[in-house]
Amino acid sequence: MKNKIALVAFGILGCMVWAKQPLYASPKEKDVRQTTPTAIQEQAVAVVLNEEGIVDYEFSEESGFKINQKVKRSILIQTAEGISHASLQIPFYSGRYAKETVVIEYYKIYRSVNGREEVLAIEEATNTKVEQEFYLKEIKVNDIRAGDRIEYSYTKTIDNIDVIPTWYFQEDIPKLKSNYTVRIPENLTYFISKTGNLRLNETKEVTQDARNLSSSKWGTSYRFKEAILQFSAINIPAFQYEPFANNVQNNISGIRFDLIQFQYPMSPSVVIPHEPAAVAKEIYKSRNFGSELELDAYWIKVLKEFPVIQGSEREKAEQMIAFVQDKIKWNKQYGYQAEKGVKRAMKQGEGNGADINLALIGALGAVGIHAEPLVLSTQSNGKAPLLFTRFINHTIVGLKLEDTFYVVDATLPNTVLNILPFEDLNGEGWLITAKYAVSKVDLTPKQLSFRQEDFVLQLDESGQAVGQLNSTLMRYEALAFQERYGESPLNRSRSDIEARSPQLFLSDGKITTKPGEVEVAFHLRKFNFATLEEDGEIMKFNPMEFYRDKANPFVRETRQSDIDFVYPFMDIYKVNIQLPTGYKVKQLAASGVLTNKLTGMNMTYEVKEVESNQVQIGYTLRVTNPIIVKEYYSELQSFYQEVDSKMNEFILLEKRNELENNRN
C-alpha cells in the first residue's frame, strides 16, 4: 500500500505530520474494530490496564536540550503463560553519539491474599550490556503468580534531541488504555510519522504562557512556549503476527518523531535537510559518498590490464558486476555511506554495502555505462515515508542499458540484473544524481518468478509407487531457495520435501545452479501412494499429496496488515502417473479455473486421462499483485477456500474385469 504525506501547520511550530492513508478505499472499508475490555481480558495471558508516556524537555547552557521520557504502566497477569510480561527491560544507549540514563522510580506487585491486597516493592535493578554501547536496565522477579497486578514507573533521559523515543501503542498483549503526551518547545520542529492502522485520538494545543525549562547559575531564565501533542487509544487489540506480512515495524501501530529544525537561544535557526534536493545534496557532500564517485583516474588504472569484453552493454555490465564482487566481499554491514572507501575496500577485499555498490558505479562508468546511486531503507530498518537521511540505510545501483532501467545490488552473490536481495524490497528507493536531482523508484518486482515441480510416478497394484521429482526455480524463487537452504541445499531441501508426507523418501539428489535459476532432481523410493478399498477393487489417491503449500495460510477471520507476497510469481505443479495394468480410472478429480480480479490471482486445475493408461494432473497458481490490501482479505479468503477444496479431491481407480484385461 502506498502512503501520502499530509502537511499540517501547527501553531508556532509548523509541525509536519505524516499520516498513513490507503491509496484507495474499498467500499467495504471499516474502522479498526475495538474489542470490549471484557473480551480482551478473557482472551489474553496478560493485559496492560493502563499506560502513560510523557515527554518533556529541559535546557542548560552547558549541554543544551535534553529529553525526559517518563513512563507509567499497569499490567494484569492472567495466566502462567503471561508471567514473562511482568519483567521490566528498558533498553538504553551510552556511547559516542548520545548518552541515555534510566531511573526506575518504583516497581510494585499487587497480590490478593485471603481477600486482602498485599503490596511487594522491588528495588533491585541491574544494568546488562547487550552489545557495544547498548544496555538494558532490568528488573526480573521470579515470584510472579497469575492474578498479580504489576505497576512501575521509570524515566529515561536522553541528551540527543534528534529523535523522540518511538511510542508503540500495540504489543503482543492487548491494552485497555494507552496515552502518549509530548511537550515540544517552540523552537524545535519534528516530522511525525505513524505506522500501523490503529485509529488514534489526537489533541494539539500551544501554550499561551512560556514555561521556564531551566535557570543558569547567573539566574538567567530560559522560557519557551510549548506545543502539547497528545495521542491516545482505548481497548487496543494485541498485534497479530500474520503470514505474508512484511516487517512488524512497518505494521505495528506506533508514532515516531524526527527533528527537522532547531534553534538555541541567541542563535540562528538550523534546518535539517528534509526536502528531496536538499537531502540529495547532503548525501553527496557527506563523508564517504560523493567523493567515492569521482575516481575516474583510479578506475582507468585498475582496468588498464583487465580484458573488458567487446560485447553489448548488458554483457559489459554483467562483467563489471562479477569483477567488483570478486574484488570486494560484503561484510554484512549496511550504510548509505561507504565505510572504508572504495580504494581501501578494493585493497582489503571487504566492505559494507555502500563500499561495494559505489565501487560498482565507478567500474561501470569506466566501461562507458552510466549508473547512479539509489538509496533506500531495508526491510529490517522499516519503511521510509520520505527521503531523509535518518530513514535510509543502504545504497544500491540504478543503471540504464539500451533504454531499459535496471537495478542491482552487488552485495548479493552471483547477482542478476533486477533481482535484489529481499532486504531491499521495502517499497520505494530514491535515485540521486551529482546535480542533486531525485527520482523515486518503486522497487517492487514486476516480472513473474517461476517455480515448477514435476512428479513422474509408476503406480503398482499394491498402491505403491516409485518415481522422479524435477524442480525448476527461476528469479526470486531461485533466490528464496538459495537463502533458505544456504550451504547445505541438497540435504536440507530433501528433508523439507520428505516432510510433506510420512510416506515420502528421496535418494540420488542433484542440484544445479546458475545466476537466477536452480534445478533440483531426486528419485522417489518405493512408497505407499494409494489406498486399497473393497478388497482391492478400488484404489484411491490424492494427486496433490506432495504439493508444498497444501495448507491454507488465510484462516483467521480478520486481517490487521496488507498481504505481502513480496514478488509476483507462478507456481506450477505437475504429476504424471502411470496406472497399474490391472486398473482403470473410475473417477477423476474435477478440473477448473478460478480467477479473482480484485486480488489479481488465478488458479487452474486440470486432470485428464491420456493414452497408455496414464493420468496427468496440472495445477498452476498465478499471483500478479504481490501486495494485496487488507480490505480485500475476504476476497482472498474466498479464493483460497476454493483452492483448498482442490487440495483434497481424490482420484478413484477400479479393477478391470477379465475381459478388459485380455484386451489390454
Side-chain angles (χ1 to χ4, degrees), residues 102-243:
V102 176
V103 175
I104 299 175
E105 283 85 23
Y106 62 83
Y107 181 102
K108 297 179 181 179
I109 303 170
Y110 293 83
R111 178 176 298 161
S112 180
V113 178
N114 297 325
R116 291 175 47 195
E117 187 174 68
E118 296 182 353
V119 182
L120 176 63
I122 307 296
E123 297 181 357
E124 184 177 348
T126 60
N127 285 345
T128 303
K129 187 173 184 178
V130 179
E131 56 182 274
Q132 187 67 28
E133 301 179 335
F134 289 91
Y135 302 84
L136 280 178
K137 175 81 77 172
E138 294 184 284
I139 287 184
K140 294 182 179 180
V141 184
N142 296 323
D143 183 26
I144 297 290
R145 307 172 190 174
D148 287 352
R149 177 167 51 90
I150 312 301
E151 290 188 2
Y152 56 77
S153 172
Y154 68 84
T155 300
K156 178 187 285 189
T157 300
I158 310 165
D159 67 2
N160 186 330
I161 62 173
D162 287 352
V163 179
I164 297 174
T166 299
W167 185 262
Y168 291 105
F169 288 89
Q170 279 186 302
E171 294 180 26
D172 56 354
I173 58 174
K175 300 178 181 180
L176 300 190
K177 185 178 180 182
S178 181
N179 185 81
Y180 198 44
T181 301
V182 182
R183 303 175 66 101
I184 304 176
E186 63 186 305
N187 60 327
L188 305 178
T189 306
Y190 288 83
F191 268 120
I192 305 175
S193 54
K194 300 176 186 176
T195 56
N197 303 290
L198 192 67
R199 189 176 296 277
L200 303 177
N201 298 314
E202 303 179 27
T203 63
K204 308 179 181 76
E205 65 172 307
V206 178
T207 58
Q208 297 300 311
D209 299 321
R211 184 167 73 94
N212 183 23
L213 299 186
S214 178
S215 294
S216 74
K217 57 185 177 181
W218 296 284
T220 306
S221 177
Y222 296 95
R223 305 181 65 83
F224 300 90
K225 290 184 179 180
E226 295 175 303
I228 303 176
L229 288 70
Q230 187 174 72
F231 306 87
S232 64
I234 60 172
N235 301 333
I236 305 164
F239 181 79
Q240 296 179 357
Y241 295 86
E242 300 169 316

Side-chain angles (χ1 to χ4, degrees), residues 30-36 40 43 170 197-199 234-238 240 556-560 630:
K30 297 179 180 179
D31 294 347
V32 176
R33 295 196 309 175
Q34 300 294 327
T35 309
T36 65
I40 287 178
Q43 298 169 8
Q170 279 186 302
N197 303 290
L198 192 67
R199 189 176 296 277
I234 60 172
N235 301 333
I236 305 164
Q240 296 179 357
R556 286 181 174 171
E557 292 184 7
T558 60
R559 180 85 183 188
Q560 289 186 346
K630 65 183 184 301

Side-chain angles (χ1 to χ4, degrees), residues 297-328:
Y298 169 78
W299 284 109
I300 291 172
K301 181 179 178 181
V302 168
L303 296 176
K304 185 176 181 180
E305 305 298 329
F306 185 78
V308 177
I309 61 174
Q310 299 301 312
S312 66
E313 281 192 335
R314 185 184 182 108
E315 289 172 324
K316 287 183 178 180
E318 290 172 345
Q319 184 187 26
M320 288 301 99
I321 293 169
F323 172 76
V324 170
Q325 289 187 317
D326 181 62
K327 293 293 184 181
I328 309 176

Side-chain angles (χ1 to χ4, degrees), residues 266-281:
M266 309 301 293
S267 301
S269 177
V270 177
V271 176
I272 298 170
H274 55 278
E275 297 295 337
V279 176
K281 182 177 181 180

Side-chain angles (χ1 to χ4, degrees), residues 35-96:
T35 309
T36 65
T38 302
I40 287 178
Q41 291 190 51
E42 288 176 352
Q43 298 169 8
V45 298
V47 179
V48 176
L49 303 176
N50 184 38
E51 66 176 6
E52 295 181 6
I54 299 176
V55 171
D56 62 15
Y57 289 72
E58 61 183 75
F59 180 81
S60 70
E61 291 179 334
E62 293 79 16
S63 57
F65 282 100
K66 288 185 179 180
I67 293 175
N68 294 315
Q69 183 196 43
K70 190 177 184 69
V71 177
K72 293 182 179 181
R73 187 169 286 121
S74 175
I75 304 171
L76 177 63
I77 308 300
Q78 301 211 120
T79 68
E81 291 77 11
I83 288 176
S84 61
H85 293 280
S87 295
L88 175 59
Q89 294 183 322
I90 311 160
F92 65 98
Y93 173 86
S94 183
R96 55 178 174 167

